[in-house]
Amino acid sequence: MIHDARVLRAGFVPREVEHRDAEVNHLSSVLEPITNGEPADTAIVTGPSGAGKTCISKFVTERLREEVLDVQTTYVNCWRNYTRFRTLYQILDDLGATIDIHRQSTPHDELVDRLQQHDGPRTVVILDEVDQLEDPSVIYHLHSLPQFAIICIANKEEELFGRVDDRLVSRLRSSEHVRMDKYHDEQLFDILSARAKWGLDEDVITDDQLYRIADAAAGDARLAIGILRTAASKADRENHEHITDGILLDAAENARAQIKQKSLDSLTPHQRVVYDIVREHGPVGPSEIHERYSEEVDDPRTKRTVRTYLSKMAQYNLLEAEGTSRDREYSLVDSAAASPMQ
């Protein structure tokens, strides 16, 4: 049933992308100076979860590497590498410059010096979930080095700008902004059709079923592809000739659960404390959350940072917010309330 499992994986970058031509062209134009050996502007790519931000960024940089021999790319998931050291180390590691760096004893400034001394090919650095960085000065360091071009990926511009100092805000505001909206159901259907065409045997799934996946995913391509992958995997294991409606129903629930667990596993230690407080005491407001959080951790972050944590978890459907900004309260998302598979 599955003849190319890669196509169904979340991180797969297709040879052609659906319904993002304008965004691809915009980002390509930002990076074009690199093809002439010149510095490129920083690009900020924003949009909701599942809008294709990471896919488009990787797609454009891979095409760039096909066109230009003397270009490198590096990808950093800042949710996983949320400290300054981890981010810098990841970039240097991809450049092959960490042989004599010790994770425990090497000073942070030494890593910055290594980046400044880098005299290899121009490098495009993708900082995914960039608003997760505990110390956004990493962006400033990279921004000041002409041999690096930066793609900053975030859900919302204001959450990125709200966490950096004024000198960097002014630079970022003058950067190129590539904004993405949620996919429509028809667009998700086209994305799913392409994945099914290249990844599955013919007639394994009907157009009607693909439309129902698109509808249930509510604009989130990551969830839509996850439902298709989970359904195909189960049907394949159980030796079905095609994906049944029953399998599809189970797949929608399982895919949501997998994505939720992955998001939970990605939380930083401080974010996890905040999440657990909401889980135990919600509905609860930001002030009480910060008060309880400050009692539980040794080095508490500011109220503003904790509000950013809450907003981030709401964007990833871990928490939901009710009320206006003055009387807002957070609670856990009711999984049963998600868009059902019709």
Side-chain angles (χ1 to χ4, degrees):
M1 177 180 289
I2 300 173
H3 65 246
D4 190 347
R6 294 173 306 165
V7 177
L8 302 177
R9 291 188 183 125
F12 176 75
V13 180
R15 290 296 305 172
E16 297 295 333
V17 294
E18 303 278 344
H19 301 291
R20 289 294 188 233
D21 287 351
E23 292 85 353
V24 166
N25 291 338
H26 188 179
L27 189 54
S28 297
S29 70
V30 177
L31 298 178
E32 187 176 10
I34 292 176
T35 63
N36 302 315
E38 299 172 1
D41 285 340
T42 293
I44 299 176
V45 181
T46 58
S49 175
K53 302 183 297 296
T54 304
C55 180
I56 294 306
S57 299
K58 288 183 174 180
F59 175 84
V60 170
T61 53
E62 285 184 16
R63 296 298 84 78
L64 182 67
R65 291 194 69 194
E66 289 176 5
E67 292 176 23
V68 186
L69 185 63
D70 212 22
V71 167
Q72 285 184 280
T73 61
T74 176
Y75 171 83
V76 183
N77 183 326
C78 299
W79 204 326
R80 190 175 301 120
N81 301 289
Y82 55 90
T83 67
R84 183 168 175 250
F85 186 94
R86 284 190 193 181
T87 302
L88 294 171
Y89 185 91
Q90 178 69 59
I91 296 168
L92 288 167
D93 195 42
D94 287 345
L95 296 174
T98 56
I99 293 174
D100 56 344
I101 290 178
H102 302 285
R103 286 180 177 270
Q104 303 301 325
S105 58
T106 303
H108 289 194
D109 289 346
E110 169 67 19
L111 302 187
V112 176
D113 289 344
R114 291 284 178 95
L115 286 177
Q116 291 172 338
Q117 293 163 15
H118 175 65
D119 59 357
R122 292 194 181 278
T123 301
V124 181
V125 180
I126 300 174
L127 297 176
D128 204 351
E129 307 282 1
V130 68
D131 50 338
Q132 283 288 102
L133 289 174
E134 287 190 346
D135 183 357
S137 67
V138 173
I139 309 170
Y140 185 82
H141 292 310
L142 289 170
H143 194 90
S144 63
L145 301 175
Q147 63 267 50
F148 294 97
I150 319 166
I151 300 175
C152 293
I153 302 176
N155 292 98
K156 296 180 178 180
E157 289 172 13
E158 57 266 29
E159 288 180 1
L160 170 58
F161 294 158
R163 302 198 59 235
V164 299
D165 62 28
D166 292 342
R167 62 179 179 167
L168 185 54
V169 166
S170 60
R171 294 190 182 194
L172 291 178
R173 287 201 186 280
S174 63
S175 301
E176 288 287 337
H177 295 234
V178 181
R179 299 175 176 89
M180 297 188 187
D181 297 320
K182 265 190 173 187
Y183 288 108
H184 303 306
D185 285 358
E186 290 284 345
Q187 294 172 328
L188 275 186
F189 171 79
D190 290 341
I191 291 169
L192 291 168
S193 295
R195 298 287 173 121
K197 176 183 177 182
W198 297 111
L200 302 177
D201 291 340
E202 200 172 349
D203 298 327
V204 163
I205 190 167
T206 67
D207 283 355
D208 179 63
Q209 288 175 319
L210 292 177
Y211 270 116
R212 284 155 58 198
I213 293 175
D215 181 59
D220 186 337
R222 182 179 60 157
L223 176 56
I225 294 166
I227 294 172
L228 179 62
R229 179 179 62 251
T230 304
S233 179
K234 183 174 182 181
D236 194 54
R237 282 197 313 272
E238 296 178 358
N239 295 315
H240 290 276
E241 292 184 0
H242 60 270
I243 294 171
T244 67
D245 287 347
I247 287 174
L248 209 56
L249 279 169
D250 290 341
E253 190 175 329
N254 291 339
R256 282 195 186 91
Q258 289 171 17
I259 288 173
K260 179 178 180 179
Q261 190 57 52
K262 188 174 181 181
S263 296
L264 283 172
D265 292 342
S266 298
L267 295 179
T268 67
H270 283 260
Q271 289 172 334
R272 184 66 204 216
V273 170
V274 171
Y275 176 84
D276 288 340
I277 288 168
V278 176
R279 179 170 55 82
E280 292 170 21
H281 303 284
V284 60
S287 293
E288 184 181 342
I289 291 170
H290 188 267
E291 190 176 320
R292 291 181 181 276
Y293 155 79
S294 298
E295 292 171 356
E296 290 195 28
V297 299
D298 293 332
D299 183 22
R301 306 298 189 252
T302 64
K303 284 186 177 182
R304 185 176 189 174
T305 298
V306 170
R307 284 197 185 93
T308 301
Y309 292 166
L310 292 166
S311 176
K312 191 77 175 175
M313 286 185 264
Q315 290 160 19
Y316 279 84
N317 295 316
L318 294 175
L319 301 179
E320 57 187 356
E322 289 191 4
T324 63
S325 57
R326 297 186 68 179
D327 60 356
R328 183 166 294 160
E329 290 189 325
Y330 289 88
S331 55
L332 260 57
V333 167
D334 179 7
S335 299
S339 299
M341 181 72 72
Q342 300 296 324

